[in-house]
Amino acid sequence: MSENSSAVGCEMNYDKNISNLEKSNKQGDNAPVQTELKNVSSEPTTRLYKRRWVIVFMFSSYSLCNAFQWIQYGIINNIFMKFYNVDSFAIDWMSMIYMLTYIPFIFPVTWLLDKKGLRIIALVATGFNCLGTWTKVASVRPELFAVTMFGQFICSFAQVFILGMPSRIASVWFGSEEVSTACSIGVFGNQNFRWGETSDPDSFL
């Protein structure tokens, strides 16, 4: 009996030692994994490309092209009143249509920006801006004022796409310390050209 009890005791001790060894091995294997997970879950870094500055200045330039057409009729309204034989109120609508178009279309355009991304929205905005410009070029005849208004509406529709992009470009392409600078450059083309056009209209004729 004593030999059997001692044998059973040895087996129990052996099993305990094996189980303790397995636990320690499991903890040892899991420890590096937990450390790696902690490192992976740390704050991610944004990869910055040198061409990001080209992107934001390119956007600023075609935003400038759209802003040029906003008030190009209003600053010399007396000339267009005689050419198209319309009153000043009709010419004023050439600039006010930019504000009117913005109100109903900003919500669907913002949704499209979230769903389709910057590239699609930028191409659509550029396409509409180009189409509106050529429509107005083709309407330089006294009896085609309605066509001119339609071309201005197309350009105002393009503006809805353009105005929502500076902050998105800054947040996607630039680091946290460059967001404000990038956003200001994106808005600069639009606002600066409007200031120059209204302050010195003769230089833009």
Side-chain angles (χ1 to χ4, degrees), residues 4 8 15 19 26 57 85 101 107 115 124-125 138 175 190-191 196:
N4 292 334
V8 172
D15 292 338
S19 62
K26 289 180 180 180
F57 277 106
N85 194 24
T101 306
F107 298 106
K115 293 295 182 181
V124 171
N190 190 288
Q191 301 300 323

Side-chain angles (χ1 to χ4, degrees), residues 14-30:
Y14 178 78
D15 292 338
K16 288 181 180 180
N17 292 331
I18 292 296
S19 62
N20 292 332
L21 182 62
E22 289 176 352
K23 289 180 180 180
S24 62
N25 288 335
K26 289 180 180 180
Q27 292 176 355
D29 293 338
N30 290 333

Side-chain angles (χ1 to χ4, degrees), residues 168-186:
R168 183 62 63 89
I169 291 175
S171 62
V172 171
W173 281 87
F174 292 84
S176 58
E177 298 180 355
E178 300 172 336
V179 170
S180 298
T181 302
C183 190
S184 63
I185 293 173

Side-chain angles (χ1 to χ4, degrees), residues 5-192:
S5 61
S6 62
V8 172
C10 289
E11 289 178 358
M12 292 178 63
N13 292 331
Y14 178 78
D15 292 338
K16 288 181 180 180
N17 292 331
I18 292 296
S19 62
N20 292 332
L21 182 62
E22 289 176 352
K23 289 180 180 180
S24 62
N25 288 335
K26 289 180 180 180
Q27 292 176 355
D29 293 338
N30 290 333
V33 175
Q34 292 175 357
T35 303
E36 292 177 0
L37 289 176
K38 289 180 181 179
N39 293 333
V40 171
S41 63
S42 61
E43 184 178 355
T45 57
T46 303
R47 184 178 180 182
L48 302 179
Y49 297 89
K50 292 182 179 179
R51 66 176 182 270
R52 67 189 185 277
W53 296 107
V54 177
I55 295 296
V56 72
F57 277 106
M58 186 182 301
F59 166 79
S60 182
S61 66
Y62 84 76
S63 177
L64 181 147
C65 293
N66 181 263
F68 170 79
Q69 300 177 75
W70 166 53
I71 203 169
Q72 64 181 156
Y73 295 96
I75 58 176
I76 48 174
N77 61 345
N78 59 325
I79 296 175
F80 286 105
M81 285 169 59
K82 293 178 181 178
F83 182 80
Y84 287 112
N85 194 24
V86 295
D87 57 11
S88 61
F89 184 72
I91 299 298
D92 290 339
W93 265 107
M94 301 292 281
S95 59
M96 288 190 296
I97 195 172
Y98 264 64
M99 291 71 174
L100 183 64
T101 306
Y102 186 84
I103 297 171
F105 290 110
I106 183 58
F107 298 106
V109 168
T110 303
W111 179 82
L112 283 174
L113 182 59
D114 292 334
K115 293 295 182 181
K116 300 299 182 180
L118 283 169
R119 184 175 184 272
I120 298 298
I121 297 300
L123 291 175
V124 171
T126 306
F128 276 118
N129 197 46
C130 181
L131 178 62
T133 302
W134 281 108
T135 301
K136 291 190 291 184
V137 170
S139 68
V140 185
R141 294 174 61 181
E143 67 273 14
L144 295 179
F145 179 75
V147 180
T148 303
M149 178 65 76
F150 179 67
Q152 189 74 349
F153 167 75
I154 297 175
C155 292
S156 69
F157 185 63
Q159 179 212 218
V160 182
F161 291 83
I162 292 172
L163 292 185
M165 292 179 61
S167 59
R168 183 62 63 89
I169 291 175
S171 62
V172 171
W173 281 87
F174 292 84
S176 58
E177 298 180 355
E178 300 172 336
V179 170
S180 298
T181 302
C183 190
S184 63
I185 293 173
V187 177
F188 179 78
N190 190 288
Q191 301 300 323
N192 185 62

